[in-house]
Amino acid sequence: MSGILLASAAFIVLIQTACSAPTGGSSATSAKLCVQLQIPVPVAADQYHYDQPQVNSNIDAMDWTVNVTTWDMADFTARQTGTVHVDQTFNISAQLCVPSKKTSKADILHIATAGQGFDKRYYDVDVQPQEYSYVDAAISNGYSVLAYDRIGTGGSEKPDAYDIVQIPTDIEVLVGLTKIARSGNLISSSKMSATTKNEAPTIQEYQPTKIVHVGHAYGSYIMSIMFEKYANLSDGALMTGLYVNYAMLNNSLTVLNYNHAFAKENDPVRFAEWGSGYFVLDNKQTLQKLFFQKATLDPALLDYTESIKQPESVGTYSSEGNSTLAPAPGFTGPIMFFTGEYDNYICNGDCRGVYDESLTNTLYPNAKSIAHYLQPGTGHATGLSLNASAGYEVMLQYLDSQGL
Ligand SMILES: *[C@@H]1O[C@H](CO)[C@@H](O)[C@H](O)[C@H]1NC(C)=O
Ligand SMILES: *[C@@H]1O[C@H](CO)[C@@H](O)[C@H](O)[C@H]1NC(C)=O
Ligand SMILES: *[C@@H]1O[C@H](CO)[C@@H](O)[C@H](O)[C@H]1NC(C)=O
Ligand SMILES: *[C@@H]1O[C@H](CO)[C@@H](O)[C@H](O)[C@H]1NC(C)=O
Ligand SMILES: *[C@@H]1O[C@H](CO)[C@@H](O)[C@H](O)[C@H]1NC(C)=O
Ligand SMILES: *[C@@H]1O[C@H](CO)[C@@H](O)[C@H](O)[C@H]1NC(C)=O
């Protein structure tokens, strides 16, 4: 087993430009206007049922981990015991923010998908937002941003963690959200649950002309699979925490390298809504191991990460072998891979000199441009590490240089 979740070789096996410096262009004085939305998203996806231990306690969570990583146990493909056709509408919690003053880029919508362990707050950090909030950075560069909670996280619906919350469903939620956004029905089709934290007036309607997909880690991974089939939904992509590289080939981290606890046992109050099959990274030490490097770690951000951490479904792991990175010839926009220089998760601790350019080019043969950039000194969670805002400028400057 392998891939980005359990870690990793598959995504390399299967498929068997540097960027200019930022110009610091956040001089615009736009504040953000935000609305909180509960968006009904129709989803149709073909998935499988997998034979795997149930997770109903901390002991089960560790048992599941050992069971699925035992060297001579069946891999997940061999554990398929039947098909599951998902055909239903899910409530997805999202935040739409636009610049308070009309800007030339306000019609370009960034749709942001967080990685495993996070919800949309990854993109709108409450601690020192001027330094860490991607939403604030994008807004001050004139863009609009839709950040949402993946299914099974945050305020979105939390259906069956074995058969429903799998990779194909995650992808179709993103596809559905993108189509709704493109059609201009984001607000009219949703229940608006609250206005902005900053008491700004409500947004009445919003229709983007262009959409840029932004992802972190697993979020970037599902975007890439989406581009294989639905490339024309995207005008450009910023992939953070995903890096096709040689280091992971023989040294990939697996789920055995980090600890999960049963979500409801880890915090019965906070995770009361998450049932069987939802586990969560157990403590701050595990979060540090996966997401940070000490030199760029502000301990306050480690505390924050612990306070916003989100459960993961076992179904996303078990479906991994059935969803793999393959070429997306239909993707014609610009795409940037932005990764921490010392990303432990995706490069086994060091991303320098291991970028697999030819494989990346194979994946996106018709991209307008492919850029890759290592953010100095940081680990996997570039958005929660020191100097995050300078990294955001690199990404946003890249988009600007590509006409977005
Ligand atoms: C691992 O889990 C599978 C499926 O639940 C079970 O059949 C198998 O016996 C377990 N293996 C071990 C070593 O416990
Ligand atoms: C979905 O959201 C609507 C509107 O807020 C609510 O009435 C409904 O109960 C929700 N359904 C589920 C399954 O959460
Ligand atoms: C994308 O392609 C599909 C199928 O080819 C087509 O139905 C759809 O209209 C296209 N969407 C856009 C935004 O071009
Ligand atoms: C990975 O290990 C195999 C077997 O030891 C070896 O042949 C291969 O060269 C290694 N690949 C890398 C990228 O180190
Ligand atoms: C997913 O599983 C089905 C059934 O085993 C198989 O036919 C299909 O090739 C798999 N897809 C991928 C991408 O592995
Ligand atoms: C902060 O990030 C920017 C953009 O990647 C980089 O140019 C700069 O060197 C970084 N500063 C430090 C101290 O690492």
Side-chain angles (χ1 to χ4, degrees):
M1 105 198 38
S2 41
I4 182 139
L5 297 171
L6 287 167
S8 262
F11 102 80
I12 301 262
V13 169
L14 246 151
I15 352 151
Q16 248 171 25
T17 56
C19 161
S20 60
T23 61
S26 44
S27 52
T29 50
S30 254
K32 60 180 170 186
L33 287 187
C34 302
V35 285
Q36 309 299 321
L37 303 171
Q38 205 67 34
I39 310 170
V41 179
V43 166
D46 288 310
Q47 305 190 142
Y48 295 89
H49 179 76
Y50 296 88
D51 180 30
Q52 61 190 325
Q54 298 271 303
V55 176
N56 295 307
S57 68
N58 286 347
I59 287 176
D60 286 351
M62 206 50 77
D63 173 63
W64 180 93
T65 303
V66 172
N67 182 291
V68 306
T69 54
T70 296
W71 70 273
D72 58 353
M73 287 295 299
D75 67 16
F76 276 116
T77 303
R79 292 179 188 226
Q80 289 175 346
T81 58
T83 57
V84 177
H85 182 65
V86 178
D87 190 358
Q88 62 189 98
T89 295
F90 296 107
N91 278 346
I92 298 299
S93 172
Q95 172 180 264
L96 173 67
C97 297
V98 303
S100 59
K101 295 181 195 154
K102 179 72 184 160
T103 65
S104 61
K105 291 181 190 290
D107 294 342
I108 301 177
L109 178 66
H110 293 210
I111 298 184
T113 306
Q116 290 277 13
F118 293 102
D119 61 21
K120 61 180 174 306
R121 287 172 288 181
Y122 180 81
Y123 292 103
D124 201 11
V125 175
D126 265 344
V127 182
Q128 286 180 257
Q130 71 285 2
E131 177 56 31
Y132 293 106
S133 170
Y134 179 81
V135 173
D136 285 15
I139 293 285
S140 62
N141 279 269
Y143 298 99
S144 299
V145 184
L146 179 75
Y148 71 101
D149 294 335
R150 279 183 297 100
I151 192 163
T153 69
S156 290
E157 230 171 298
K158 300 157 191 76
D160 184 276
Y162 302 97
D163 288 351
I164 305 290
V165 186
Q166 294 187 6
I167 294 171
T169 289
D170 255 340
I171 293 168
E172 294 300 327
V173 167
L174 178 55
V175 168
L177 272 178
T178 305
K179 287 180 175 169
I180 293 168
R182 279 203 180 275
S183 70
N185 294 328
L186 217 36
I187 293 177
S188 59
S189 70
S190 306
K191 190 173 164 225
M192 214 179 296
S193 53
T195 52
T196 175
K197 307 171 203 170
N198 312 336
E199 298 152 30
T202 241
I203 308 165
Q204 299 300 340
E205 60 176 9
Y206 179 74
Q207 176 145 28
T209 52
K210 297 260 173 65
I211 289 183
V212 171
H213 287 94
V214 185
H216 178 238
Y218 175 74
S220 302
Y221 179 70
I222 65 170
M223 278 158 49
S224 195
I225 300 173
M226 174 176 97
F227 298 153
E228 294 164 20
K229 202 170 146 194
Y230 304 99
N232 69 354
L233 289 179
S234 190
D235 298 294
L238 297 175
M239 319 284 268
T240 73
L242 182 70
Y243 202 62
V244 181
N245 70 89
Y246 302 108
M248 69 201 306
L249 272 178
N250 288 341
N251 299 297
S252 57
L253 264 64
T254 77
V255 73
L256 197 59
N257 291 92
Y258 48 99
N259 291 342
H260 281 114
F262 180 50
K264 214 183 253 193
E265 192 171 333
N266 186 256
D267 191 332
V269 175
R270 218 166 119 192
F271 301 131
E273 290 174 52
W274 283 264
S276 182
Y278 283 104
F279 51 25
V280 68
L281 295 170
D282 58 349
N283 61 32
K284 284 202 285 184
Q285 282 66 49
T286 299
L287 297 170
Q288 179 185 341
K289 184 199 285 184
L290 278 178
F291 296 127
F292 297 100
Q293 288 288 352
K294 183 181 171 186
T296 49
L297 172 60
D298 175 350
L301 270 289
L302 181 57
D303 292 344
Y304 178 72
T305 302
E306 169 66 27
S307 76
I308 65 163
K309 73 181 181 184
Q310 287 295 297
E312 308 165 39
S313 76
V314 300
T316 44
Y317 287 83
S318 44
S319 56
E320 188 182 21
N322 204 249
S323 300
T324 38
L325 291 190
F331 183 86
T332 54
I335 185 166
M336 171 179 259
F337 292 86
F338 180 96
T339 307
E341 184 178 17
Y342 301 118
D343 186 324
N344 193 25
Y345 186 59
I346 204 74
C347 301
N348 195 226
D350 192 351
C351 290
R352 295 172 304 168
V354 295
Y355 177 62
D356 189 339
E357 182 163 15
S358 80
L359 182 50
T360 307
N361 290 340
T362 304
L363 287 173
Y364 312 99
N366 299 313
K368 179 178 177 188
S369 96
I370 302 177
H372 61 103
Y373 187 88
L374 296 181
Q375 176 64 0
T378 77
H380 190 53
T382 46
L384 300 171
S385 300
L386 292 176
N387 203 22
S389 60
Y392 297 151
E393 291 304 324
V394 170
M395 292 191 273
L396 297 170
Q397 186 59 38
Y398 170 70
L399 291 181
D400 186 67
S401 76
Q402 297 297 315
L404 285 172

